[in-house]
Amino acid sequence: MRSTGQSTRARRTYVERIVSVPIFIKGLNLTKTPILIEMKAQKVHPNETTFNTLIKGAGRAGQIDAAFDYLSEMRRNACRPNHVTKNSLIDACMRVGLWDRAIEILDQMLEEESERKLALIGYTSVCAGLVKCGRETDALGLMSEMESKGVDPDPAAYSSVINSLIGVGNIDIAWNLFDIAIERFEDDEEIYATMVAGLCKTGKAKFVYQAAELLEHIDSVSTHNAVVDGFAKIGRLAEAEDCIKFMRQRLVQPNVVTYTALIDGYGRSRDIENGLRLFREMCNEGVAPDLIAFNALISSLVRCGCVVLAMQLFEEMSARKGAITPDFKTYSILAQAHFYDGYFEKGWEIFGMMTDGGHKPNQRMLESILKRVLKSSKPDRDTVSRLLEEMTSAGVTDSTMRFWRMQASKTLSRWEISGNKNAEEKQRNNP
């Protein structure tokens, strides 16, 4: 007879196989599911974890009927559905728009005291899901029903629905719900932070200014950073700097994320002097730049045509105390900058450093470089050929390679014909 330990290990192996194998086929007779049959043949009895894994997988595959059939099979095997089972079923229902059925499962969870808190999480997910599919009124109605059922929405619940409302562009309704939440949970930072972050992500000046007005209620540096980043992304750099001053007045210390957002903003505005000023200020304040900060400044320098300075900063990354290892983005920015400017030899040198550092150029990067090389005043045939070889090595599809080879052939032929004509004309003018 198989020992309990052996049975547990065997069952765990089957669960791992269930996760990795696509067995969710429409109309599947679940009692004849190969893995279940094999488990029974090996006298390994499926337990709650087995069925929860199957239900979760079926839900993610959009097979709602299969998920509920697994629930029936679970009960036939004397396995009791738990909160994991129910949450997986709720998620499955939401994926296919069966909102009423999801709410029925939530109501069942309320019947058990041990699951009441978990029901709140489920109700919140359903409310947020309803908002995302355009049923805001139903979502708000369900939030009201929650209280009548003895499930009180907490700050996390309000924050989730507010975030969803902003995400679908219903800012006015989000403000209404925000006011209700703040009246109920006075000065709750989570609710304020959610509203600020959501407004800043809209990318609209009106809402970023509204977010800035809420900062006096929040001490979190990450929330202040959201406003700095929001202003920087819409080009309101003076306001972003004012926000940093406001942080200092409130004894909220700017960190590397704060400075990086503003450096990136100045780079997008082609204002490299202020970008460099902020970088020096960050270092002088004792805030150590990280890889993201270096990449932001390197990118800003390249945008402004300061490729030599960008390379100097790149070298400083490795030389400074606590050296920072460049990543794919670092190499990609610098390699493309040199190819764009016609410094092909240096571009290939950075390519070599990139691969030595364990980073492979991808299709997007290679296509971008090839496109610029072909548009240059004097495209180099050897560089074009080598880039095409790199693209093949990167796994670019045959159809895409045919397109680029055709473009390269046309461009090089046109340039060579033009070059020959210029040479002949020069020869005629200077016999």
Side-chain angles (χ1 to χ4, degrees):
M1 184 174 177
R2 186 180 293 243
S3 71
T4 303
Q6 288 176 319
S7 179
T8 301
R9 285 193 297 273
R11 187 160 48 233
R12 187 182 301 122
T13 301
Y14 281 110
V15 169
E16 289 169 355
R17 286 177 57 190
I18 290 167
V19 172
S20 62
V21 179
I23 62 169
F24 306 106
I25 303 169
K26 195 171 183 178
L28 186 68
N29 184 338
L30 297 169
T31 58
K32 296 181 180 178
T33 297
I35 284 185
L36 290 180
I37 292 173
E38 190 177 339
M39 288 178 75
K40 290 176 181 178
Q42 295 293 326
K43 296 183 180 179
V44 178
H45 299 291
N47 64 3
E48 287 84 356
T49 303
T50 315
F51 284 107
N52 284 343
T53 306
L54 288 164
I55 290 168
K56 186 174 184 179
R60 287 184 173 179
Q63 300 295 334
I64 190 67
D65 291 338
F68 278 95
D69 284 342
Y70 276 123
L71 176 64
S72 299
E73 183 74 5
M74 183 179 190
R75 286 171 173 150
R76 279 195 291 272
N77 279 266
C79 295
R80 188 171 182 269
N82 55 25
H83 69 275
V84 176
T85 319
K86 293 168 186 175
N87 280 329
S88 295
L89 288 168
I90 289 166
D91 181 66
C93 291
M94 289 168 58
R95 285 175 184 271
V96 295
L98 295 177
W99 303 103
D100 291 340
R101 201 164 185 181
I103 293 168
E104 285 177 15
I105 298 168
L106 286 167
D107 289 343
Q108 292 171 15
M109 293 178 74
L110 293 178
E111 295 173 4
E112 297 191 38
E113 188 62 35
S114 62
E115 296 184 354
R116 290 185 74 82
K117 287 186 179 180
L118 297 168
L120 171 59
I121 298 170
Y123 274 111
T124 303
S125 298
V126 172
C127 288
L130 286 167
V131 169
K132 289 174 183 176
C133 71
R135 294 176 58 180
E136 295 89 341
T137 304
D138 291 338
L140 297 176
L142 182 58
M143 288 196 77
S144 298
E145 286 180 28
M146 287 166 63
E147 296 187 44
S148 66
K149 295 175 180 178
V151 181
D152 293 329
D154 60 5
Y158 279 105
S159 295
S160 177
V161 179
I162 288 169
N163 188 55
S164 297
L165 286 165
I166 296 174
V168 298
N170 282 321
I171 309 297
D172 289 340
I173 299 177
W175 272 115
N176 291 338
L177 190 60
F178 170 81
D179 290 338
I180 293 169
I182 288 301
E183 185 176 346
R184 183 170 185 176
F185 303 99
E186 188 175 354
D187 294 330
D188 184 88
E189 282 215 3
E190 181 180 3
I191 298 169
Y192 275 108
T194 299
M195 195 70 190
V196 169
L199 291 170
C200 289
K201 286 178 183 176
T202 63
K204 296 181 179 179
K206 172 186 174 182
F207 300 131
V208 179
Y209 279 105
Q210 289 177 358
E213 291 174 3
L214 297 175
L215 285 180
E216 63 183 77
H217 301 279
I218 308 166
D219 295 325
S220 163
V221 63
S222 61
T223 306
H224 286 77
N225 286 345
V227 177
V228 173
D229 187 56
F231 277 128
K233 279 188 166 61
I234 60 174
R236 304 295 173 89
L237 300 167
E239 286 85 345
E241 294 233 29
D242 286 343
C243 186
I244 292 179
K245 292 175 184 176
F246 180 70
M247 291 173 71
R248 291 194 177 107
Q249 289 171 4
R250 303 188 67 232
L251 303 180
V252 178
Q253 293 302 317
N255 61 15
V256 67
V257 177
T258 321
Y259 286 106
T260 301
L262 196 46
I263 290 168
D264 186 60
Y266 277 120
R268 292 173 188 273
S269 299
R270 303 291 196 277
D271 185 352
I272 195 57
E273 288 186 9
N274 274 312
L276 288 167
R277 173 181 62 80
L278 260 295
F279 189 82
R280 287 192 295 269
E281 182 181 312
M282 174 174 64
C283 295
N284 291 337
E285 289 288 330
V287 179
D290 60 8
L291 176 60
I292 298 172
F294 272 105
N295 281 346
L297 187 54
I298 288 171
S299 179
S300 299
L301 288 164
V302 167
R303 278 198 193 103
C304 297
C306 304
V307 179
V308 174
L309 277 176
M311 282 302 298
Q312 290 175 359
L313 189 64
F314 169 72
E315 290 165 3
E316 183 187 329
M317 287 173 64
S318 302
R320 66 189 289 122
K321 185 178 179 181
I324 296 171
T325 304
D327 65 356
F328 174 85
K329 185 175 181 179
T330 320
Y331 290 116
S332 177
I333 294 167
L334 292 169
Q336 291 186 63
H338 285 87
F339 279 110
Y340 290 175
D341 289 348
Y343 299 108
F344 302 135
E345 186 176 341
K346 188 64 177 179
W348 287 120
E349 182 185 327
I350 295 170
F351 246 75
M353 295 166 67
M354 182 179 189
T355 53
D356 289 344
H359 304 286
K360 294 183 179 180
N362 59 21
Q363 179 176 343
R364 183 178 177 182
M365 173 185 171
L366 292 166
E367 286 183 332
S368 178
I369 294 173
L370 180 57
K371 189 176 181 180
R372 289 294 292 268
V373 169
L374 292 175
K375 283 186 175 181
S376 65
S377 59
K378 188 179 178 181
D380 179 69
R381 180 176 286 276
D382 290 340
T383 297
V384 171
S385 298
R386 189 169 170 185
L387 283 168
L388 289 169
E389 289 174 6
E390 290 284 349
M391 289 171 70
T392 302
S393 299
V396 178
T397 61
D398 291 342
S399 59
T400 303
M401 288 304 304
R402 282 195 296 271
F403 168 79
W404 282 112
R405 286 194 182 99
M406 182 176 66
Q407 293 297 312
S409 179
K410 285 181 180 179
T411 302
L412 291 170
S413 297
R414 189 163 55 243
W415 180 82
E416 286 170 358
I417 291 169
S418 175
N420 290 336
K421 284 182 179 179
N422 291 337
E424 290 172 4
E425 185 176 345
K426 187 175 180 180
Q427 190 173 9
R428 282 196 301 270
N429 293 333
N430 300 284

